[in-house]
Coordinates of all heavy atoms in Angstrom, one line a residue:
L557 N -21.7 -26.4 13.5 CA -23.0 -27.0 13.4 C -23.8 -26.5 12.2 O -24.6 -27.2 11.7 CB -23.8 -26.8 14.7 CG -23.1 -27.5 16.0 CD1 -23.9 -27.1 17.2 CD2 -23.1 -29.0 15.8
S558 N -23.6 -25.3 11.8 CA -24.3 -24.7 10.7 C -23.8 -25.1 9.4 O -24.6 -25.3 8.4 CB -24.2 -23.1 10.7 OG -24.7 -22.6 11.9
F559 N -22.5 -25.4 9.2 CA -21.9 -25.6 7.9 C -21.3 -27.0 7.7 O -21.1 -27.4 6.5 CB -20.8 -24.6 7.7 CG -21.2 -23.2 7.5 CD1 -20.9 -22.2 8.5 CD2 -21.9 -22.7 6.4 CE1 -21.3 -20.9 8.4 CE2 -22.4 -21.4 6.3 CZ -22.1 -20.5 7.3
R560 N -21.2 -27.8 8.7 CA -20.5 -29.1 8.5 C -21.1 -30.0 7.5 O -20.4 -30.8 6.9 CB -20.3 -29.8 9.9 CG -21.7 -30.3 10.5 CD -21.5 -31.0 11.8 NE -22.9 -31.2 12.3 CZ -23.1 -31.8 13.4 NH1 -22.1 -32.1 14.2 NH2 -24.3 -32.0 13.9
S561 N -22.5 -29.9 7.4 CA -23.2 -30.8 6.4 C -23.6 -30.1 5.2 O -24.4 -30.7 4.4 CB -24.4 -31.4 7.1 OG -24.0 -32.1 8.3
E562 N -23.2 -28.9 5.0 CA -23.6 -28.1 3.9 C -22.5 -28.1 2.8 O -21.4 -28.5 3.0 CB -23.8 -26.6 4.3 CG -24.9 -26.5 5.4 CD -26.3 -26.9 5.0 OE1 -26.6 -26.8 3.8 OE2 -27.0 -27.4 5.8
I563 N -22.9 -27.7 1.6 CA -21.9 -27.6 0.5 C -20.7 -26.8 0.8 O -19.6 -27.1 0.3 CB -22.6 -27.2 -0.9 CG1 -21.6 -27.5 -2.0 CG2 -23.0 -25.7 -0.8 CD1 -22.3 -27.5 -3.4
D564 N -20.9 -25.8 1.6 CA -19.7 -24.9 1.9 C -18.6 -25.6 2.7 O -17.5 -25.2 2.7 CB -20.2 -23.7 2.8 CG -20.9 -22.7 1.9 OD1 -20.9 -22.8 0.6 OD2 -21.5 -21.7 2.4
A565 N -18.9 -26.8 3.3 CA -17.9 -27.6 4.0 C -17.0 -28.2 2.9 O -15.8 -28.5 3.2 CB -18.5 -28.7 4.8
N566 N -17.5 -28.4 1.7 CA -16.6 -28.8 0.6 C -15.8 -27.6 0.0 O -14.6 -27.8 -0.3 CB -17.4 -29.4 -0.6 CG -18.1 -30.7 -0.3 OD1 -17.4 -31.5 0.4 ND2 -19.3 -30.8 -0.6
V567 N -16.3 -26.5 0.0 CA -15.6 -25.3 -0.5 C -14.6 -24.8 0.5 O -13.5 -24.4 0.1 CB -16.6 -24.1 -0.8 CG1 -15.9 -22.9 -1.4 CG2 -17.8 -24.6 -1.7
F568 N -14.9 -24.9 1.8 CA -14.0 -24.5 2.9 C -13.9 -25.6 3.9 O -14.7 -25.7 4.8 CB -14.6 -23.2 3.6 CG -14.8 -22.1 2.6 CD1 -16.1 -21.8 2.2 CD2 -13.8 -21.3 2.2 CE1 -16.3 -20.7 1.3 CE2 -13.9 -20.2 1.3 CZ -15.2 -19.9 0.9
P569 N -12.9 -26.5 3.7 CA -12.8 -27.7 4.5 C -12.7 -27.4 6.0 O -13.0 -28.3 6.8 CB -11.5 -28.3 4.0 CG -11.3 -27.8 2.6 CD -11.9 -26.4 2.6
C570 N -12.3 -26.2 6.4 CA -12.2 -25.8 7.9 C -13.6 -26.0 8.6 O -13.7 -26.3 9.7 CB -11.7 -24.4 8.1 SG -12.8 -23.1 7.4
F571 N -14.7 -25.9 7.8 CA -16.0 -26.1 8.3 C -16.3 -27.5 8.7 O -17.3 -27.8 9.4 CB -17.1 -25.7 7.3 CG -17.2 -24.2 7.1 CD1 -17.6 -23.7 5.9 CD2 -17.0 -23.3 8.1 CE1 -17.7 -22.3 5.7 CE2 -17.1 -21.9 7.9 CZ -17.5 -21.4 6.7
Q572 N -15.5 -28.5 8.3 CA -15.7 -29.9 8.6 C -15.3 -30.3 10.0 O -15.7 -31.4 10.4 CB -15.0 -30.8 7.5 CG -15.5 -30.6 6.1 CD -14.6 -31.3 5.1 OE1 -13.9 -32.1 5.4 NE2 -14.8 -30.9 3.8
E573 N -14.6 -29.4 10.7 CA -14.1 -29.8 12.0 C -14.3 -28.6 12.9 O -14.1 -27.4 12.6 CB -12.6 -30.1 12.0 CG -12.3 -31.4 11.1 CD -10.8 -31.6 11.1 OE1 -10.0 -30.9 11.7 OE2 -10.5 -32.6 10.4
L574 N -14.7 -28.9 14.2 CA -14.8 -27.8 15.2 C -13.5 -27.1 15.3 O -13.5 -25.8 15.4 CB -15.3 -28.4 16.5 CG -15.5 -27.5 17.7 CD1 -16.5 -26.4 17.3 CD2 -16.0 -28.2 18.9
S575 N -12.4 -27.8 15.3 CA -11.1 -27.1 15.5 C -10.8 -26.1 14.3 O -10.3 -25.0 14.5 CB -9.9 -28.1 15.6 OG -9.9 -28.9 14.5
G576 N -11.3 -26.5 13.1 CA -11.1 -25.6 12.0 C -12.0 -24.4 12.1 O -11.5 -23.3 11.7
C577 N -13.2 -24.6 12.6 CA -14.1 -23.4 12.8 C -13.5 -22.5 13.9 O -13.7 -21.3 13.8 CB -15.5 -23.9 13.2 SG -16.3 -24.7 11.8
R578 N -12.9 -23.1 14.9 CA -12.3 -22.2 16.0 C -11.1 -21.4 15.4 O -11.0 -20.2 15.7 CB -11.8 -23.1 17.1 CG -11.4 -22.3 18.3 CD -11.1 -23.1 19.6 NE -11.1 -22.3 20.7 CZ -10.3 -21.2 20.9 NH1 -9.4 -20.9 20.0 NH2 -10.3 -20.5 22.1
R579 N -10.3 -22.1 14.6 CA -9.1 -21.4 14.0 C -9.7 -20.2 13.1 O -9.1 -19.1 13.1 CB -8.3 -22.3 13.1 CG -7.1 -22.9 13.8 CD -6.2 -23.6 12.9 NE -6.8 -24.4 11.8 CZ -7.3 -25.6 11.9 NH1 -7.2 -26.3 13.0 NH2 -7.8 -26.2 10.8
L580 N -10.7 -20.5 12.3 CA -11.3 -19.5 11.4 C -11.8 -18.3 12.2 O -11.6 -17.2 11.9 CB -12.4 -20.1 10.6 CG -13.1 -19.2 9.6 CD1 -12.2 -18.5 8.6 CD2 -14.2 -19.9 8.9
M581 N -12.6 -18.6 13.3 CA -13.1 -17.6 14.2 C -12.0 -16.8 14.8 O -12.1 -15.5 14.9 CB -14.0 -18.2 15.2 CG -15.0 -17.3 15.9 SD -16.1 -16.5 14.7 CE -16.1 -14.8 15.5
Q582 N -10.9 -17.4 15.2 CA -9.8 -16.7 15.8 C -9.2 -15.8 14.7 O -8.9 -14.6 15.0 CB -8.7 -17.7 16.2 CG -7.6 -17.2 17.1 CD -8.1 -17.1 18.5 OE1 -8.6 -18.0 19.1 NE2 -8.0 -15.9 19.1
E583 N -9.0 -16.3 13.5 CA -8.4 -15.5 12.4 C -9.3 -14.2 12.1 O -8.8 -13.1 12.0 CB -8.3 -16.3 11.1 CG -7.2 -17.3 11.1 CD -7.2 -18.2 9.9 OE1 -7.9 -17.9 8.9 OE2 -6.6 -19.3 10.0
I584 N -10.6 -14.5 12.0 CA -11.6 -13.4 11.8 C -11.5 -12.3 12.9 O -11.3 -11.1 12.6 CB -13.0 -13.9 11.6 CG1 -13.2 -14.7 10.3 CG2 -14.0 -12.7 11.6 CD1 -14.5 -15.5 10.2
S585 N -11.5 -12.7 14.1 CA -11.5 -11.8 15.2 C -10.2 -11.1 15.4 O -10.1 -10.0 16.0 CB -11.9 -12.4 16.5 OG -11.0 -13.4 16.9
N586 N -9.1 -11.6 14.8 CA -7.8 -11.0 14.9 C -7.4 -10.1 13.7 O -6.4 -9.4 13.7 CB -6.7 -12.0 15.1 CG -6.7 -12.6 16.4 OD1 -7.1 -12.0 17.4 ND2 -6.2 -13.9 16.5
K587 N -8.3 -10.1 12.7 CA -8.1 -9.2 11.5 C -8.1 -7.8 11.9 O -8.9 -7.4 12.7 CB -9.1 -9.5 10.4 CG -8.9 -10.8 9.7 CD -9.9 -11.0 8.6 CE -9.7 -12.3 8.0 NZ -10.0 -12.4 6.6
P588 N -7.2 -6.9 11.3 CA -7.2 -5.5 11.6 C -8.5 -4.8 11.4 O -8.9 -4.0 12.1 CB -6.2 -4.9 10.7 CG -5.4 -6.1 10.1 CD -6.2 -7.3 10.3
G589 N -9.3 -5.3 10.4 CA -10.6 -4.7 10.1 C -11.8 -5.3 10.9 O -13.0 -5.0 10.5
F590 N -11.6 -6.2 11.8 CA -12.7 -6.9 12.5 C -13.6 -5.9 13.1 O -13.2 -4.9 13.8 CB -12.1 -7.8 13.6 CG -13.2 -8.5 14.4 CD1 -14.0 -9.4 13.8 CD2 -13.4 -8.2 15.7 CE1 -15.0 -10.1 14.5 CE2 -14.4 -8.8 16.5 CZ -15.2 -9.8 15.9

């Protein structure tokens, strides 16, 4: 909801879909340095 209509949705296409944001959040929370 924060990024879907912002320029960052062009830079990072995952922001254009809820499923992409969920995948991104999953990746971030699974990083060794989270």
Side-chain angles (χ1 to χ4, degrees):
L557 294 173
S558 298
F559 293 110
R560 68 180 175 183
S561 302
E562 303 296 328
I563 191 162
D564 285 352
N566 290 318
V567 183
F568 303 101
C570 62
F571 287 147
Q572 296 171 16
E573 297 177 3
L574 182 56
S575 61
C577 289
R578 189 173 197 298
R579 265 192 323 277
L580 178 60
M581 198 58 220
Q582 193 81 55
E583 285 171 20
I584 291 168
S585 66
N586 286 333
K587 286 185 183 210
F590 177 68

